[in-house]
Structures are given as structure tokens and as C-alpha cells.
Amino acid sequence: MRPRLAICLWVGLCILQCAAESSQGGELSPGHERSAKNEAKEYETLYLLFAFVLVGAAVIHLTTLPQLHSVPVTVVFFVLGIAFALVAEAGHFEFLEGIMNSYEYWAKIDPHLVLFVFLPPLLFSDAMAVDTHVARRAAGQCLLLAVIGV
């Protein structure tokens, strides 16, 4: 097994183990129940972030293999995201309370925040990879659709 993939798998297993341990936490006293529970949920928000970063690194690594080189990465991410959402909404992650709390927090995030945080880097990376010759040839059509088409 390649070292990078082994490291990604090891870190993923560590995240799952931390999520499982946090979901089996001890009892809280009545006075501190609210604050300690909120602190745990704020910390658990990072579980899905780290898990998705690891899955993304694994997918990008796997698409460098000759057998999977022609598979579009964005399509794989879309399919994995839909599959994860369906499994989470069906309640198959109930035994991992930390993962479910993290999922609920990410589901409640403001859509404008996601748009303003993730869209500029995506546009910048695509702008840096664009073929300028093709962009010049299609500029007139793009402007026609952007001005009159809208």
C-alpha cells in the first residue's frame, strides 16, 4: 500500500475512534449539562471537516492511478456527498453521536457563508487552468449569453 494512502486511512480511523469515544462520554452534573454539551458539539463540528478532507485526499490520490485517471474528481465528490447525506438522513450513523452532531451543525450552516468561502478559490483555480486561446474564441458567446441571455 502506498504511504500517503496508509496515512490517510490511519488518520481516518483515529477520527472515527475519537468520535466514538466522545459519544460514550460520562454523565454531566445538572448545573453544567448545558455548557458542557454545547462545548462538545462545537468541538465535534470538526469531525466531518477532517473526514471530508481525508476523503478528498484519498479520491484525488486514487484518480492519479492509471485505471481511474479518466474519472472526473468533481463527479466522484458529488456522488460521495449525496451518498453520505442519504445514509446520514436515514439514521445509519446514530451509533456515532459525534459524527451526527457534526453533520447537524454543517447542515445548519448559512448557505451564503459556504458560497463566499468556497466559490472564490474554485473560480481562481479554474481561472488559472483555463486555456486563453479557447477563452478568447468563446468570449463573444459568453458575453452574449451573460448580457442578453440573462
Side-chain angles (χ1 to χ4, degrees), residues 1-10 61-62:
M1 189 182 303
R2 296 195 176 164
R4 287 184 288 179
L5 185 59
I7 291 171
C8 287
L9 290 174
W10 179 76
H61 174 72
L62 290 175

Side-chain angles (χ1 to χ4, degrees), residues 109-128:
I109 196 168
D110 183 22
H112 292 96
L113 178 66
V114 174
L115 180 74
F116 294 140
V117 169
F118 291 115
L119 189 61
L122 291 173
L123 291 175
F124 181 77
S125 67
D126 284 340
M128 297 304 288

